[in-house]
């Protein structure tokens, strides 16, 4: 009979002989953990928390070091509480083989200057600290948005395509700078390997301009544009990050569902109808509303709902990885997640606002904002 005391059971697992024919998954963890020590920054929330829990449960990982400004819920990890911009992080990374850097602020409501200062300084500090204590691999997570959304993009883009994004969309400037730091780090610190993971439209507890697009009562479509949609569920991102941590893949690669959905397919699957506007009206209204502080999203975010930026995920496929989710399934999960939320031109409405606006009212409000912009332009031309 096994002891009811878990500490006694754990001690027996460490000392009792293990029969040679015991399946690998039933062997004591102490006998199986021969893999790398992996440190995760931003480990208490979001993707960082999911990855920390996933790695802590993996028999391929020897130890997980979790770093954040507060302690998270994964008790199996070794926790260190500090800001990633603190140079003292170097000592916390000592002994790690791999660092997965996920402490990024891409919140739509964060002051852009403060967001950039945190993201860039944090990445610089982590890369320098990792190299200083002998970490041999740092995994950075950016976004496929760095390829840019342009009318002449190939569909799909190859993973080694030129990065043609600009800093006009939320957080993209930070991501481009993070990638630049990642490319420079191995030259400055020989022996340090940097891997960059670029997820497509991320879904699963995320709040971005692209997920808020599906909270609108109508799907805004810019006349003459060719929207395409390629999603990435957070569960698939976590397993792709695990591949990178285990050195099954390196370099720069994209992660997302296989294939993509055209705008017409999205509308059919979602049951949400479109609202089509001329590009000058849509972009002008978006820029005006953002400039006067009514919406958190700059006009640059609209490009990612206008032009294709889907990417091949062949490098992960070649490494043996496969997504568990399809685009159709992720879209369904996203629609369930945003049900009951109401967003107008990127600004999430409160319950009172949503009740007052309604589907028709929200459409009229956006058209009204566009009309205001047009009238202002006409007035300026008369002067």
């Amino acid at each position: 009979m096994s002891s009811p005391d878990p500490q006694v059971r754990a001690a027996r697992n460490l000392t009792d002989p293990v029969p040679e024919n015991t399946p690998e998954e039933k062997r004591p963890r102490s006998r199986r953990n021969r893999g790398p020590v992996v440190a995760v920054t931003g480990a208490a929330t979001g993707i960082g928390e999911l990855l920390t829990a996933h790695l802590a449960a993996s028999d391929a990982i020897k130890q997980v070091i979790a770093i954040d400004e507060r302690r998270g819920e994964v008790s199996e990890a070794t926790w260190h509480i500090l800001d990633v911009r603190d140079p003292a992080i170097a000592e916390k990374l000592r002994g790690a083989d791999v660092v997965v850097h996920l402490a990024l602020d891409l919140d739509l409501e964060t002051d852009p200057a403060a967001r950039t200062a945190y993201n860039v300084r944090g990445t610089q500090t982590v890369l320098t600290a990792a190299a200083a204590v002998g970490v041999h691999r740092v995994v950075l997570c950016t976004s496929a948005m760095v390829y840019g959304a342009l009318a002449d993009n190939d569909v799909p883009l190859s993973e080694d395509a030129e990065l043609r994004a600009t800093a006009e969309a939320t957080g993209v400037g930070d991501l481009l700078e993070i990638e630049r730091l990642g490319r420079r780090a191995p030259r400055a610190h020989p022996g340090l390997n940097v891997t960059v993971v670029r997820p497509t439209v991320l879904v699963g507890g995320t709040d971005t301009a692209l997920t808020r697009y599906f909270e609108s009562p109508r799907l805004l479509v810019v006349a003459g544009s060719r929207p395409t949609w390629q999603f990435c569920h957070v569960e698939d991102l976590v397993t792709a990050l695990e591949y990178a941590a285990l050195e099954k893949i390196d370099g720069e690669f994209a992660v997302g569902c296989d294939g993509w959905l055209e705008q017409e397919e999205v509308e059919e699957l979602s049951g949400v109808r479109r609202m089509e506007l001329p590009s000058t009206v849509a972009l002008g209204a978006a820029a005006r509303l953002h400039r006067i502080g009514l919406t958190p999203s700059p006009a640059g975010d609209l490009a990612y709902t206008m032009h294709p930026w889907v990417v091949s995920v062949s490098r992960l496929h070649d490494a043996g990885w496969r997504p568990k989710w399809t685009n159709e399934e992720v879209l369904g999960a996203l629609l369930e997640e945003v049900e009951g939320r109401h967003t107008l031109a990127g600004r999430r409405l409160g319950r009172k606002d949503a009740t007052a606006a309604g589907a028709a009212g929200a459409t009229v409000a956006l058209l009204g904002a566009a009309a205001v912009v047009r009238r202002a332009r006409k007035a300026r031309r008369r002067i």
Side-chain angles (χ1 to χ4, degrees), residues 29 33 35-44 47-68 71 73-80 92-100 102 242 245-246:
R29 287 188 55 116
N33 286 347
V37 175
V38 180
V40 180
T41 68
I47 303 299
E49 181 180 26
L50 295 174
L51 179 65
T52 300
H54 182 79
L55 295 179
S58 172
D59 297 325
I61 303 298
K62 183 176 182 180
Q63 180 190 1
V64 180
I65 299 171
I67 297 173
D68 210 316
R71 185 181 178 88
E73 301 297 325
V74 184
S75 59
E76 298 85 355
T78 301
W79 284 89
H80 296 296
K92 312 305 180 185
L93 297 178
R94 192 174 296 279
D97 301 297
V98 179
V99 176
V100 183
L102 298 174
E242 180 187 28
L246 291 173

Side-chain angles (χ1 to χ4, degrees), residues 143-166:
S143 168
M145 294 176 78
V146 297
Y147 290 105
L150 296 102
D152 63 348
N153 274 346
D154 291 335
V155 179
L157 290 162
S158 65
E159 289 166 289
D160 59 358
E162 179 186 356
L163 304 188
R164 298 200 290 163
T166 65

Side-chain angles (χ1 to χ4, degrees), residues 127-128 131 138 140 179-194:
L127 287 168
T128 302
V138 174
L140 302 176
E179 293 222 3
R180 188 183 72 83
L181 292 170
R183 287 192 295 273
R184 289 177 53 189
R187 296 196 295 269
H189 308 287
L192 180 66
N193 177 291
V194 177

Side-chain angles (χ1 to χ4, degrees), residues 19-246:
E20 288 296 325
N21 60 352
T22 300
E24 181 67 17
E25 66 272 13
K26 292 187 178 180
R27 291 175 178 266
R29 287 188 55 116
S30 60
R31 301 291 182 87
R32 290 182 278 150
N33 286 347
R34 297 292 184 268
V37 175
V38 180
V40 180
T41 68
T45 59
I47 303 299
E49 181 180 26
L50 295 174
L51 179 65
T52 300
H54 182 79
L55 295 179
S58 172
D59 297 325
I61 303 298
K62 183 176 182 180
Q63 180 190 1
V64 180
I65 299 171
I67 297 173
D68 210 316
E69 294 177 53
R70 67 174 180 82
R71 185 181 178 88
E73 301 297 325
V74 184
S75 59
E76 298 85 355
T78 301
W79 284 89
H80 296 296
I81 314 304
L82 81 166
D83 188 313
V84 290
R85 294 170 293 180
D86 187 341
I89 196 173
E91 282 306 309
K92 312 305 180 185
L93 297 178
R94 192 174 296 279
D97 301 297
V98 179
V99 176
V100 183
H101 178 48
L102 298 174
L104 297 179
D105 180 2
L106 297 175
D107 193 311
L108 290 170
E109 312 296 340
T110 301
D111 173 73
R115 181 174 59 217
T116 296
Y118 178 82
N119 290 336
V120 174
R121 181 61 178 168
T123 302
Q124 287 175 326
T125 305
V126 167
L127 287 168
T128 302
V133 296
V135 173
H136 71 263
R137 176 180 293 243
V138 174
V139 180
L140 302 176
C141 186
T142 61
S143 168
M145 294 176 78
V146 297
Y147 290 105
L150 296 102
D152 63 348
N153 274 346
D154 291 335
V155 179
L157 290 162
S158 65
E159 289 166 289
D160 59 358
E162 179 186 356
L163 304 188
R164 298 200 290 163
T166 65
E168 295 173 354
T170 303
V172 173
D174 295 359
L175 300 179
L176 289 168
E177 179 61 17
I178 287 168
E179 293 222 3
R180 188 183 72 83
L181 292 170
R183 287 192 295 273
R184 289 177 53 189
R187 296 196 295 269
H189 308 287
L192 180 66
N193 177 291
V194 177
T195 299
V196 178
V197 184
R198 299 168 177 155
T200 56
V201 181
L202 196 57
V203 174
T206 57
D207 178 23
T208 67
L210 294 169
T211 59
R212 287 192 184 188
Y213 176 82
F214 293 91
E215 298 177 14
S216 299
R218 296 287 184 267
L219 298 180
L220 174 62
V221 175
V222 175
S225 66
R226 184 176 58 134
T228 53
W229 294 90
Q230 181 184 25
F231 298 101
C232 177
H233 196 276
V234 291
E235 291 180 358
D236 284 334
L237 175 57
V238 164
T239 57
L241 290 168
E242 180 187 28
Y243 261 60
L246 291 173

